[in-house]
């Protein structure tokens, strides 16, 4: 078929002089698209329009290497993103290997989904690794229980594959993205932990620097880990009482965040250091990329239930709403472009739910009581008298 539909638009695809022509007609009507295709084919045959040569599509492994080199430059200020892309691409490279990227279609991506869905992984150990007990008759399979990959893990790999194809579409190597026609797995909301005030105190007492200051800023501002690590002295305005986030994951991430007294004191003290970055690495002079080791140590010392450092952002959102804050303001503070994301981060505690019901009940009782007293006026008395026999 010379024309085919992709979404609401008709595309044309045909062979001419041994070359494959694939192009959007930018039309939504099939008859108009067919007429456009015939006219365009005639123009090509007569030489009125040129046939653009596309670069040869590289094998997948080479394509990933080129893409990651571009990521290194494009995201040079985001080392976590670069490291994440490299790690996520491992399974993709193993599956596609030397297949040319223009030979990967939606069916191939579906096969990748099925292959990864059956994959097993060794569970991550928490804390320090312990030596396994010596058992003579213990087989290799009994040493650890494999777990199935989570849907979120496979979705991140598919998302990276989609980004890679878009990169080569912009380079005019490809004309379409097969991942755009593949449905991602439905993900669970995930474990979102809210840290109590008691747990916060125990954790901060056990935390070392700069983790202690880092955690306090997250708790009092709701900033992302990467945003806190990237705070520079020029972004802190103590007299005006806010910190400025110049860049982030979305356009909405660029924002001003008012400071609490504790956050203002911490940023003021760290601003006096001989470094532009308030939370920079002493070894590299770049923003901190991870505090996992010191965070894990603080968790063990404080003996609080495990939580991720990112959960301090969830804790801020929950506390803000429980203190009477509204969702629109919280959206602006967290730097989200959609209010739907805000509802995912904010989780009222059980105690706050009970308190909210109690306040609602008291308000309802007062409302009924006021209504009863109002009805006890002359009109109500008149009704009562008229009702007597």
């Amino acid at each position: 078929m010379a024309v085919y539909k992709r979404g609401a638009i008709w595309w044309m695809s045909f062979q001419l002089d041994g070359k494959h022509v694939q192009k959007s007609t930018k039309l939504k009507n099939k008859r108009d698209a067919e007429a456009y295709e015939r006219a365009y084919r005639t123009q090509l045959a007569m030489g009125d329009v040129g046939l653009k040569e596309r670069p040869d599509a590289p094998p997948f492994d080479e394509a990933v290497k080129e893409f990651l080199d571009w990521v290194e430059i494009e995201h040079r200020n985001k080392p976590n993103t670069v490291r994440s892309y490299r790690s996520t691409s491992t399974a993709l490279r193993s599956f596609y290997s030397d297949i040319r990227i223009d030979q990967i279609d939606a069916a191939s991506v579906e096969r990748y989904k099925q292959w990864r869905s059956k994959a097993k992984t060794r569970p991550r150990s928490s804390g320090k690794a312990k030596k396994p007990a010596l058992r003579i008759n213990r087989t290799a399979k009994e040493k650890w229980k494999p777990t199935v990959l989570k849907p979120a893990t496979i979705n991140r790999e598919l998302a990276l594959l989609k980004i890679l194809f878009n990169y080569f579409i912009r380079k005019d190597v490809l004309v379409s993205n097969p991942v755009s026609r593949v449905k991602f797995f439905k993900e669970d909301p995930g474990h979102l932990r809210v840290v109590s005030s008691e747990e916060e105190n125990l954790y901060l007492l056990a935390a070392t620097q700069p983790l202690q200051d880092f955690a306090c800023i997250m708790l009092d501002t709701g900033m992302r880990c990467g945003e806190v690590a990237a705070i520079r002295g020029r972004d802190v305005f103590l007299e005006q009482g806010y910190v400025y986030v110049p860049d982030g994951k979305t356009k909405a991430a660029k924002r001003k965040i008012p400071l609490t007294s504790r956050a203002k004191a911490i940023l003021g003290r760290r601003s006096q250091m001989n470094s532009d970055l308030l939370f920079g690495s002493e070894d590299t002079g770049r923003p901190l990329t991870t505090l996992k080791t010191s965070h894990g140590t603080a968790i063990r010392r404080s003996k609080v239930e495990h939580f991720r450092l990112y959960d301090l952002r969830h804790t801020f959102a929950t506390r803000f709403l429980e203190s009477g804050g509204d969702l629109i303001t919280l959206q602006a503070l967290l730097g989200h472009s959609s209010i739907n994301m805000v509802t995912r981060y904010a989780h009222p505690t059980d105690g706050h739910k009970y308190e909210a019901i109690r306040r609602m009940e008291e308000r309802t009782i007062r409302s009924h009581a006021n209504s009863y007293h109002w009805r006890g006026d002359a009109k109500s008395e008149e009704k009562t008298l008229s009702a007597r026999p």
Side-chain angles (χ1 to χ4, degrees), residues 9-157:
I9 303 298
W10 287 90
W11 283 58
M12 55 184 177
S13 177
F14 57 86
Q15 294 284 336
L16 183 67
D17 296 334
K19 296 179 180 179
H20 179 232
V21 179
Q22 188 174 17
K23 181 180 175 65
S24 171
T25 67
K26 300 182 181 180
L27 298 170
K28 296 183 179 181
N29 182 278
K30 184 178 181 181
R31 290 186 179 180
D32 293 343
E34 289 175 337
Y36 181 90
E37 183 271 333
R38 288 193 295 270
Y40 190 80
R41 189 194 291 257
T42 302
Q43 286 180 312
L44 281 177
M46 296 177 64
D48 293 340
V49 294
L51 191 61
K52 185 178 180 181
E53 291 281 351
R54 288 190 176 275
D56 292 334
F60 187 82
D61 196 54
E62 291 182 13
V64 172
K65 290 179 181 178
E66 178 184 336
F67 170 73
L68 291 177
D69 289 341
W70 171 80
V71 169
E72 285 274 6
I73 300 173
E74 185 72 12
H75 299 289
R76 55 186 176 276
N77 295 327
K78 300 176 182 178
N80 287 342
T81 300
V82 177
R83 185 168 59 249
S84 174
Y85 280 9
R86 287 196 177 279
S87 174
T88 306
S89 66
T90 303
L92 292 166
R93 297 174 79 166
S94 174
F95 183 81
Y96 288 112
S97 187
D98 56 352
I99 298 176
R100 278 191 5 221
I101 58 174
D102 60 343
Q103 296 177 344
I104 300 174
D105 54 11
S108 174
V109 179
E110 289 289 353
R111 289 194 295 272
Y112 176 81
K113 281 176 57 181
Q114 296 176 8
W115 176 68
R116 288 298 278 164
S117 299
K118 298 175 183 177
K120 305 283 183 169
T121 181
R122 183 190 294 268
R124 293 181 179 179
S125 59
S126 57
K128 295 182 179 179
K130 297 180 180 179
K131 291 184 178 180
L134 181 61
R135 294 184 185 178
I136 299 175
N137 297 326
R138 192 175 190 180
T139 62
K141 292 183 179 180
E142 293 175 333
K143 290 182 180 179
W144 56 277
K145 293 182 179 179
T147 58
V148 179
L149 287 177
K150 293 181 179 179
T153 301
I154 304 175
N155 285 349
R156 298 297 81 75
E157 294 169 357

Side-chain angles (χ1 to χ4, degrees), residues 187-242:
E187 297 182 26
D188 295 329
H191 177 69
L192 301 179
R193 173 95 149 78
V194 176
V195 180
S196 68
S197 297
E198 182 181 358
E199 289 176 324
E200 175 190 341
N201 293 332
L202 292 172
Y203 173 80
L204 292 178
L205 286 172
T208 57
Q209 292 292 8
L211 174 62
Q212 188 181 87
D213 288 350
F214 197 98
C216 287
I217 296 300
M218 290 193 68
L219 283 164
D220 288 7
T221 65
M223 295 172 70
R224 300 177 177 92
C225 296
E227 293 173 340
V228 177
I231 295 177
R232 297 181 181 274
R234 62 175 178 266
D235 299 326
V236 179
F237 299 84
L238 295 177
E239 293 184 3
Q240 293 85 348
Y242 72 88

Side-chain angles (χ1 to χ4, degrees), residues 354-369:
Y354 283 111
E355 182 64 21
I357 294 296
R358 187 189 64 77
R359 288 198 304 268
M360 183 190 72
E361 183 182 26
E362 290 180 352
R363 184 175 182 180
T364 303
I365 292 173
R366 286 196 303 270
S367 178
H368 289 172

Side-chain angles (χ1 to χ4, degrees), residues 158-188:
L158 294 176
L160 179 62
L161 186 61
K162 189 174 184 179
I163 296 171
L164 182 143
F165 278 118
N166 284 335
Y167 168 78
F168 283 98
I169 289 174
R170 292 195 299 271
K171 293 191 64 178
D172 291 327
V173 175
L174 301 175
V175 296
S176 62
N177 193 326
V179 187
S180 61
R181 288 178 284 160
V182 175
K183 188 175 181 180
F184 284 32
F185 286 115
K186 185 176 180 181
E187 297 182 26
D188 295 329

